[in-house]
Amino acid sequence: MRLLIVLAIIGAFVTLTGAQKYDHERNFGGNGAGSGQFSLPHDVTFFTVFNSTENVTSNHIAVADTLNNRVQVLDVFGSFIREFGSSGDAVGSLAFPQGIAASYDDDTFTIYVSDTLNHRIQIANGSGNLTQEVGSLGVGAGQFISPKGICVSLESDLLFIADSGNHRVQVFNASSLSVLYSFGSYGTASDKMRNPTGIAYMDAEEQLIVVDRGNKRVQLWNANANTASVGTIITDFTDPTYVTASDRVSFFWVTDVGENEVKVYDKFGNFFAKYGDEGTGDESFKGPLGLTDDPFSNFTIIVDSVNGRVQVFDSEAELVEATTNLAAFLTTFAINVVLAIIFFIGFVITRCFKFTRKFYESNCQPFDEPEVWRDNRQPAPPPRGIFSLLYQTVFYNEDLLFETHGLDAWVFVKFLKYSFFMVCIYAVYGVCAILFVNIFAGKNKDLPEDNSLFVKGLEILSMANIERGSQFLWFHMVGVIFNTAATIFILKRFYDEFLLRRREHLSNPKLPENYTSMITDIPDYSGKGTIIGVDTGGNSSEFYDEVIMAYLNPSFNNKIIEVHRAQEAPKLEKRHNQRLALLNNLESSLAVYFKDGERPTHKTSFCGGEEVDSIDTYANDMKDKDSDLSDLFSSVDSYIKPTPTAFVTCKSISEATKLSQSTVNEQWLVEHAPEPRDIIWDNLTGTTISRFFRGLIVFIISFLIVFFYSVPIIFVQGFANLETLAMVPGLDFLDTDLDPAVRGLIQGYAPVIVLIVFMIILVPLLRFLSGLQLPAAQSEQDRSTSVKYFCFLVFNVLLISTIAGSVFKALDSIIDSPQSIVSLLASSLPQQASFFVNYIMTVGLAGSMMSLWRPVPLIIGLIFDRFLAKSKRAKRAVWMSGAFSYATNYAGILLVLMIVQIYSTLAPLILPFAIIYFGLAILSYKYNIIWADKTPFEGGGNYFTTIFVSVNIGLILYQLVSIGVFATYEFQYGIIIVVMLILSVCFFVYMMTSNKALHTYGALVEQPNKKDKTDLTNKYRAPFLQPPASHLNTEDQGTNDIPYSTDLSAFKLESSILLDVKSPASNGKGRSTTDDETDSVETDSKEHIIPMREITGSESSSDDTDSDVDDDSDDDDEESQDEESSEDEESSTEYYSS
């Protein structure tokens, strides 16, 4: 899932940027004070000059040569014409001029210069001399503090000046130079400014673009001769400086000096392209500042300030028609469809092979551990026909799913189904109404196609095609109300169904956790004298249980089966794990022996040592380890330590539920117990206080990871280029000897590989952090991991790509203006609609089919099975060790659902792809849950709370963004959404507080079939503390017994492997085994141990041996292996239970 998310992000980004081009034409100038040279130039403007003598119009530019305190006039090819201005404060003199603009017609031109440090505007007429000044230092109307950007409306005769020091924009009549009005003031709200610099005007739109440099954003204002109102806010900048706009193509360009690049946006503020990087060569910048549009030559002219030059780019090459975005979108869609088909065909073909059934149908095989106390009935293998398989997967009975796979699997599949239904309901109104309105009632309805305002490409399908203040926005508002009602209805249905299943789960008499309560924060009572009649002296562990029972007796007398306080026994656990390792080594040695007919050997140390017989060594070591374990277990009371956790098993489910809701001791915390397989025994040492402080530390670390994980990625990506790698000794050929095509391939994919690697290690890192919080259950650790991963995806995929494009810009925007986060999202989210449509398209089509096929884990499993796993048990473990990853899958699906909620009315084009995503997700994930992936433990549906909270948060965020969008679109009736917001919050609070007891404690009513009640003794003891069966005492039974087993899984491992291993004679290699060799394990130094009979103590006839040879000569006979494994499991389970 992590890899799919990375590939989806990359694919969406490539789609958005694939059609963006630019073409560098020329540059001119250089650092200096001579004619045609510049010293930190700040701005440039275009104008025409009419030569009446020759009847020719020439295209000129004027550059504000800031440090030289002058203005230079050149032609568009860089040839010097004239200059004016000098240092000083008199009229005609300049002090650090930072802004310049020009108005022109067929007869004359006028140049306006921001005389920044003289706090005024100077005007040069057609003669080319500064002859007039406007303004003075001050805060009043017509006064300035460090004016900077300046622009002129050629059609409206308006002059706009960025009064930077006063944090406002002043509007003048360009002819009379009288002040009309001003707008803006200091602040971070959407209609506030901090040191505005660049400014540009689009006459056709009556739209003023203001670079709000102090807030690191660009504001789009609806401005005319009378008033101005703020609209879209763009925050995708590090340090924006100047802007220019073109009515000819309805685009504007912004220089970002922090990134040394130029960014291109359409008239709605949608990002289109960017170019440039830091450097001194062509197409590179050092401090790009002012820029202007040449409408006659279709050039964009940019001041490269620190490099002291002007660069010219072909704007027609930059502005590929918006229809190419549509073409790129359709191309990406076609590619994803083809990939999905390829991946699905790969799955269909691959699963047909007999050897791959162990991978695709591993959940249909018997469990690797015999579950004598839990009914884990596995499904029959899926049908071989592909259409039958698809039908049975999609329509698999939910009751059977709940019975065979548990409540966790049911919740996940049900969540997918309800998400699918929710998106389908969204699409009914979104596609039939909103999409129809966007296309046919938008800005294009009264415009010819060749008009510059005609909306093209994907924008025609989105809300961007609707006029501000249009009455057609009623359709969008009704869509928000409709989607809110649909979401609440589906969440309520899901909640009610979950309660029924949860009640059924909690009242199931087969589940020991339903009879058990977990008590935490129990003090250490040892040496405390007599407590409630219990002597706490001595080292025996029994008094721990007696003290707890004494506290419980007044209310639960004769209602408790057993009390077990969890113990720490690291010495015993260590020996237990060592013995299991020896057992694995012995199994592998046996497998090699019976396959090759030669006894394997190994060195006694890693660096060498004596070469010994592996079977003899491991068997004898196991015997010693068994004796050691028996001694340790007999003296276990001398070294075990009590933990603050105990498990109390009651005689009935209702009594256990009552206990979970009781206050037995004011220091204790009593809650419903997890399933025994779910418990993390090492974490039971934690208390509420220790978990709180650990959780606080983990929260801080997780916060840093979520918000700053991109920092090390960017750092490492900085080294993932050929120039840096070539500096490593031995890799210098990378910079000189590689073919250009190969260089480009490596240079392009190296950063992608770095991103994939970091994303792969992210979830294990988050899981490790969740483990540091000492959760008592694995399911709780997984849920905590999922929450952290979901927060990471929301911030790094949704917020960063929406608000700013990088973590630092996003944080800066949020920290500087936390109250304006809604307006930031409202202005930024519509710009990223195409990105998220492509994201969901990629994850839904190619991603879902890839998760169904899963070629990478299949290949890894085949490699392990063929080369690394020696014994039959090890080979089976390769295919049966996989577990469905709820943590990552929930996070990814919840992110998609949140994106769909937010964009369901902004860009309803996303809805058909969301339907495809959830439809294919039901197929792929449901198949994996039912037939492919194991369920190692049951969490009791604890993910439901995460789902419910996340979907409600997504709904509330959707409503807040909608309110902001309607405000941006000047639709005053959008305030009605506040009612839906309040309704959603009330629904969320009510549903979270109702039926809380059932969520937290358990059921008070049991199912009537108590005859199915499970054996409840010793279920809540750590595996390494399970007492040995009496018949496993080696001193009484001699040497022919099965080796001592300290837990159920270890005994199962021995019995199924060591009872069915075969003599070398079975494959015609080596010698046969005689009956005399089975008398004792104690053989002389020249005689090897024959493991099968000596370890099991069984006497087999030659007929039995021959039968075994016939049955097992072929290791690849899967059906025979599975049949024998089932028989072994039944026999071992029966033997252990006796």
Side-chain angles (χ1 to χ4, degrees):
M1 187 67 183
R2 286 163 277 169
L3 180 60
L4 296 178
I5 290 175
V6 175
L7 295 178
I9 295 173
I10 295 171
F13 178 77
V14 169
T15 302
L16 292 177
T17 59
Q20 298 163 3
K21 304 185 296 181
Y22 61 90
D23 189 7
H24 179 267
E25 289 292 323
R26 58 185 173 273
N27 55 55
F28 48 84
N31 282 304
S35 298
Q37 294 181 315
F38 310 101
S39 181
L40 202 68
H42 267 62
D43 202 2
V44 61
T45 189
F46 174 88
F47 64 98
T48 61
V49 176
F50 178 70
N51 189 326
S52 57
T53 303
E54 300 180 2
N55 197 25
V56 174
T57 299
S58 302
N59 298 334
H60 291 179
I61 60 171
V63 180
D65 191 4
T66 304
L67 288 186
N68 287 324
N69 294 305
R70 64 183 179 182
V71 172
Q72 294 197 63
V73 179
L74 308 94
D75 65 22
V76 293
F77 296 97
S79 299
F80 176 80
I81 297 176
R82 72 171 69 90
E83 67 176 69
F84 52 86
S86 59
S87 299
D89 56 6
V91 175
S93 299
L94 300 170
F96 212 73
Q98 294 191 40
I100 193 168
S103 63
Y104 55 91
D105 53 30
D106 293 338
D107 298 323
T108 185
F109 66 90
T110 303
I111 298 176
Y112 305 86
V113 182
S114 291
D115 191 3
T116 303
L117 294 187
N118 286 324
H119 312 290
R120 63 187 179 185
I121 304 299
Q122 293 204 62
I123 297 95
N125 55 24
S127 62
N129 297 315
L130 295 170
T131 59
Q132 189 176 2
E133 66 175 348
V134 175
S136 60
L137 178 63
V139 297
Q143 294 183 309
F144 305 99
I145 298 179
S146 301
K148 293 181 179 177
I150 187 170
C151 69
V152 180
S153 167
L154 299 181
E155 295 183 6
S156 304
D157 196 30
L158 297 175
L159 177 66
F160 299 89
I161 301 170
D163 190 1
S164 184
N166 285 320
H167 314 288
R168 65 184 178 182
V169 172
Q170 295 201 60
V171 184
F172 289 75
N173 181 287
S175 299
S176 64
L177 297 179
S178 59
V179 180
L180 299 178
Y181 66 97
S182 66
F183 58 90
S185 59
Y186 183 84
T188 58
S190 60
D191 60 345
K192 306 293 184 180
M193 304 176 186
R194 290 197 303 169
N195 303 112
T197 52
I199 196 167
Y201 191 73
M202 300 177 71
D203 283 288
E205 293 286 321
E206 290 191 346
Q207 182 168 272
L208 183 71
I209 303 106
V210 179
V211 177
D212 185 8
R213 186 176 186 180
N215 288 321
K216 299 180 181 179
R217 65 188 183 187
V218 168
Q219 300 170 310
L220 304 188
W221 292 77
N222 300 309
N224 52 37
N226 302 309
T227 184
S229 61
V230 69
T232 303
I233 306 293
I234 309 171
T235 58
D236 187 20
F237 306 100
T238 299
D239 187 7
T241 48
Y242 286 81
V243 61
T244 192
S246 172
D247 276 317
R248 172 178 48 87
V249 291
S250 297
F251 277 79
F252 62 88
W253 294 255
V254 182
T255 52
D256 190 342
V257 71
E259 300 287 346
N260 286 295
E261 62 187 16
V262 177
K263 298 179 179 179
V264 188
Y265 297 84
D266 66 14
K267 58 190 175 185
F268 306 110
N270 298 314
F271 174 80
F272 183 80
K274 64 179 180 180
Y275 51 89
D277 53 21
E278 184 175 0
T280 58
D282 294 344
E283 305 174 6
S284 297
F285 303 102
K286 278 191 175 182
L289 295 178
L291 66 174
T292 191
D293 174 62
D294 178 354
F296 300 102
S297 302
N298 301 319
F299 290 156
T300 304
I301 303 168
I302 305 168
V303 169
D304 188 5
S305 181
V306 177
N307 287 325
R309 64 183 180 181
V310 173
Q311 297 202 60
V312 182
F313 292 83
D314 185 350
S315 58
E316 283 297 311
E318 298 161 12
L319 300 177
V320 182
E321 287 292 332
T323 51
T324 58
N325 279 341
L326 178 60
F329 171 80
L330 295 176
T331 301
T332 302
F333 176 70
I335 292 174
N336 278 282
V337 170
V338 172
L339 288 176
I341 294 174
I342 292 174
F343 295 159
F344 181 73
I345 293 175
F347 164 75
V348 172
I349 295 175
T350 306
R351 69 179 292 268
C352 292
F353 295 102
K354 197 171 185 179
F355 64 88
T356 62
R357 293 181 189 174
K358 296 176 290 186
F359 177 74
Y360 289 113
E361 301 173 11
S362 64
N363 208 22
C364 305
Q365 312 299 334
F367 262 170
D368 202 31
E369 300 178 5
E371 300 293 339
V372 299
W373 52 270
R374 177 181 287 271
D375 180 17
N376 268 311
R377 184 162 54 87
Q378 297 304 295
R384 305 256 55 90
I386 186 60
F387 295 106
S388 300
L389 172 67
L390 296 178
Y391 179 84
Q392 189 167 339
T393 300
V394 174
F395 298 101
Y396 193 84
N397 185 272
E398 291 182 1
D399 294 331
L400 185 61
L401 178 71
F402 173 74
E403 181 181 352
T404 58
H405 294 78
L407 185 58
D408 287 340
W410 181 89
V411 169
F412 185 86
V413 171
K414 203 68 177 177
F415 169 56
L416 284 177
K417 285 189 175 181
Y418 274 125
S419 298
F420 177 77
F421 294 151
M422 187 186 302
V423 173
C424 288
I425 295 174
Y426 288 176
V428 169
Y429 184 82
V431 174
C432 298
I434 299 178
L435 195 62
F436 182 86
V437 169
N438 290 344
I439 296 173
F440 298 104
K443 299 177 180 178
N444 290 347
K445 63 181 185 299
D446 299 321
L447 294 176
E449 189 171 348
D450 58 350
N451 190 286
S452 63
L453 300 180
F454 193 88
V455 181
K456 301 178 181 179
L458 296 179
E459 291 174 358
I460 196 174
L461 306 176
S462 70
M463 198 172 177
N465 193 31
I466 302 298
E467 294 280 359
R468 298 180 186 277
S470 170
Q471 293 302 305
F472 287 105
L473 290 171
W474 275 102
F475 286 90
H476 300 79
M477 192 189 72
V478 171
V480 176
I481 297 173
F482 177 81
N483 292 347
T484 299
T487 304
I488 292 176
F489 172 76
I490 289 178
L491 283 176
K492 182 64 168 60
R493 285 285 303 271
F494 189 17
Y495 189 93
D496 292 341
E497 285 198 47
F498 170 74
L499 288 183
L500 293 176
R501 290 294 184 183
R502 173 76 172 168
R503 184 178 291 110
E504 184 180 352
H505 172 81
L506 293 175
S507 59
N508 189 342
K510 300 178 183 180
L511 308 182
E513 61 266 30
N514 291 342
Y515 298 87
T516 307
S517 296
M518 183 173 69
I519 304 176
T520 57
D521 293 346
I522 303 175
D524 185 1
Y525 292 118
S526 58
K528 302 295 183 181
T530 301
I531 300 178
I532 316 184
V534 179
D535 182 12
T536 61
N539 295 323
S540 174
S541 62
E542 294 181 359
F543 80 82
Y544 299 131
D545 300 344
E546 293 176 2
V547 171
I548 298 172
M549 183 66 80
Y551 275 108
L552 296 174
N553 270 335
S555 302
F556 296 91
N557 189 26
N558 297 325
K559 298 177 181 178
I560 295 175
I561 295 177
E562 68 174 5
V563 174
H564 172 63
R565 188 167 184 181
Q567 313 288 346
E568 284 187 278
K571 186 185 299 185
L572 183 62
E573 184 178 8
K574 179 180 179 181
R575 299 293 192 278
H576 168 79
N577 293 332
Q578 290 173 347
R579 182 186 179 281
L580 291 180
L582 285 172
L583 184 59
N584 291 331
N585 292 335
L586 178 58
E587 288 176 7
S588 299
S589 300
L590 288 171
V592 173
Y593 173 50
F594 293 122
K595 179 181 179 182
D596 300 335
E598 299 180 1
R599 300 182 70 87
T601 61
H602 67 275
K603 299 286 187 179
T604 56
S605 64
F606 179 77
C607 299
E610 180 185 0
E611 186 171 354
V612 297
D613 183 277
S614 298
I615 297 177
D616 288 351
T617 302
Y618 293 137
N620 288 321
D621 288 347
M622 279 190 63
K623 179 184 175 184
D624 296 338
K625 194 65 65 177
D626 290 344
S627 176
D628 188 16
L629 281 168
S630 296
D631 294 340
L632 284 173
F633 202 93
S634 62
S635 60
V636 69
D637 289 341
S638 63
Y639 58 84
I640 63 171
K641 298 179 180 179
T643 69
T645 305
F647 297 95
V648 180
T649 303
C650 300
K651 293 181 179 180
S652 67
I653 294 177
S654 59
E655 294 300 331
T657 302
K658 293 175 183 177
L659 175 58
S660 299
Q661 302 180 48
S662 303
T663 304
V664 180
N665 184 298
E666 61 181 11
Q667 293 180 291
W668 299 357
L669 177 64
V670 187
E671 55 187 317
H672 188 73
E675 180 206 344
R677 296 181 303 171
D678 194 17
I679 295 174
I680 306 176
W681 298 97
D682 291 340
N683 289 354
L684 298 182
T685 58
T687 63
T688 302
I689 297 298
S690 65
R691 288 188 174 107
F692 171 79
F693 285 106
R694 281 172 170 264
L696 185 61
I697 295 173
V698 169
F699 173 79
I700 295 173
I701 298 174
S702 301
F703 176 87
L704 295 176
I705 290 176
V706 168
F707 284 83
F708 297 103
Y709 196 68
S710 59
V711 176
I713 296 177
I714 296 172
F715 177 77
V716 176
Q717 284 178 336
F719 292 92
N721 62 76
L722 295 181
E723 289 75 11
T724 305
L725 293 175
M727 299 172 63
V728 179
L731 299 180
D732 53 343
F733 68 93
L734 293 175
D735 197 28
T736 56
D737 301 336
L738 288 181
D739 182 85
V742 177
R743 285 176 55 85
L745 185 66
I746 297 175
Q747 197 81 9
Y749 277 94
V752 175
I753 293 173
V754 171
L755 176 61
I756 291 175
V757 170
F758 271 85
M759 289 296 291
I760 289 175
I761 66 176
L762 172 63
V763 172
L765 175 61
L766 296 178
R767 181 173 177 79
F768 170 76
L769 290 174
S770 298
L772 294 180
Q773 296 175 260
L774 298 181
Q778 299 179 64
S779 59
E780 181 60 29
Q781 182 175 355
D782 281 357
R783 192 186 67 84
S784 178
T785 304
S786 180
V787 171
K788 294 180 178 66
Y789 189 48
F790 175 65
C791 293
F792 176 88
L793 292 178
V794 169
F795 181 78
N796 288 276
V797 176
L798 182 61
L799 293 184
I800 282 186
S801 60
T802 298
I803 294 179
S806 79
V807 60
F808 299 108
K809 289 178 255 182
L811 280 177
D812 205 32
S813 300
I814 296 172
I815 292 173
D816 286 348
S817 182
Q819 74 279 6
S820 62
I821 181 66
V822 173
S823 61
L824 284 174
L825 288 173
S827 60
S828 303
L829 278 168
Q831 305 170 29
Q832 303 298 328
S834 297
F835 172 85
F836 288 112
V837 169
N838 283 280
Y839 172 83
I840 292 179
M841 180 202 308
T842 303
V843 176
L845 289 170
S848 296
M849 292 299 97
M850 175 65 82
S851 65
L852 183 65
W853 186 22
R854 297 184 298 168
V856 175
L858 173 61
I859 294 172
I860 294 175
L862 291 174
I863 293 174
F864 271 82
D865 181 80
R866 178 68 179 85
F867 299 104
L868 300 178
K870 302 298 182 183
S871 67
K872 191 171 89 172
R873 177 62 58 192
K875 289 178 179 293
R876 183 182 299 171
V878 168
W879 303 111
M880 302 183 74
S881 59
F884 189 79
S885 177
Y886 286 108
T888 56
N889 289 322
Y890 266 122
I893 295 170
L894 286 170
L895 173 68
V896 170
L897 186 58
M898 181 176 287
I899 292 172
V900 173
Q901 285 178 304
I902 293 173
Y903 280 97
S904 57
T905 49
L906 290 176
L909 177 64
I910 204 171
L911 295 174
F913 297 101
I915 293 175
I916 294 173
Y917 169 82
F918 285 107
L920 295 180
I922 291 174
L923 172 64
S924 60
Y925 290 129
K926 199 172 179 181
Y927 178 91
N928 290 332
I929 287 176
I930 296 173
W931 284 298
D933 292 331
K934 288 295 181 185
T935 305
F937 52 82
E938 172 63 46
N942 68 338
Y943 270 102
F944 177 81
T945 303
T946 302
I947 296 170
F948 192 80
V949 171
S950 300
V951 176
N952 274 280
I953 290 175
L955 176 62
I956 292 171
L957 181 61
Y958 165 50
Q959 293 163 340
L960 289 173
V961 169
S962 298
I963 293 172
V965 169
F966 286 130
T968 302
Y969 272 73
E970 303 172 5
F971 186 66
Q972 58 184 350
Y973 300 104
I975 196 67
I976 297 175
I977 304 301
V978 174
V979 178
M980 305 307 297
L981 176 62
I982 296 173
L983 176 64
S984 300
V985 173
C986 293
F987 167 78
F988 173 68
V989 173
Y990 170 75
M991 298 303 291
M992 290 300 294
T993 54
S994 63
N995 295 294
K996 186 176 182 180
L998 185 60
H999 282 296
T1000 308
Y1001 303 111
L1004 290 172
V1005 180
E1006 302 181 43
Q1007 292 181 0
N1009 53 339
K1010 288 191 175 183
K1011 63 181 181 179
D1012 295 329
K1013 183 176 178 179
T1014 185
D1015 178 18
L1016 299 173
T1017 57
N1018 290 327
K1019 289 300 180 293
Y1020 282 89
R1021 290 182 183 271
F1024 52 86
L1025 287 176
Q1026 295 282 357
S1030 60
H1031 64 274
L1032 296 179
N1033 190 321
T1034 57
E1035 293 183 358
D1036 296 336
Q1037 300 295 328
T1039 59
N1040 289 335
D1041 289 309
I1042 298 174
Y1044 165 75
S1045 177
T1046 58
D1047 76 333
L1048 195 58
S1049 62
F1051 180 84
K1052 170 28 172 98
L1053 202 62
E1054 297 163 18
S1055 60
S1056 63
I1057 288 296
L1058 300 184
L1059 288 175
D1060 67 4
V1061 292
K1062 306 302 181 290
S1063 168
S1066 63
N1067 58 11
K1069 300 177 183 179
R1071 59 188 180 86
S1072 301
T1073 304
T1074 65
D1075 293 340
D1076 295 336
E1077 294 171 330
T1078 67
D1079 293 338
S1080 175
V1081 177
E1082 301 293 335
T1083 59
D1084 59 36
S1085 60
K1086 295 183 179 180
E1087 187 176 11
H1088 291 298
I1089 293 174
I1090 302 299
M1092 181 184 69
R1093 296 182 183 180
E1094 292 176 342
I1095 292 178
T1096 63
S1098 62
E1099 295 289 339
S1100 301
S1101 65
S1102 59
D1103 294 339
D1104 294 333
T1105 305
D1106 292 339
S1107 176
D1108 289 340
V1109 170
D1110 294 336
D1111 290 342
D1112 293 284
S1113 59
D1114 186 3
D1115 287 339
D1116 292 332
D1117 190 347
E1118 296 296 327
E1119 296 179 0
S1120 179
Q1121 287 185 10
D1122 294 339
E1123 182 179 348
E1124 290 175 354
S1125 300
S1126 300
E1127 294 173 357
D1128 294 336
E1129 289 174 4
E1130 292 173 1
S1131 63
S1132 63
T1133 301
E1134 181 181 356
Y1135 186 45
Y1136 185 86
S1137 300
S1138 66

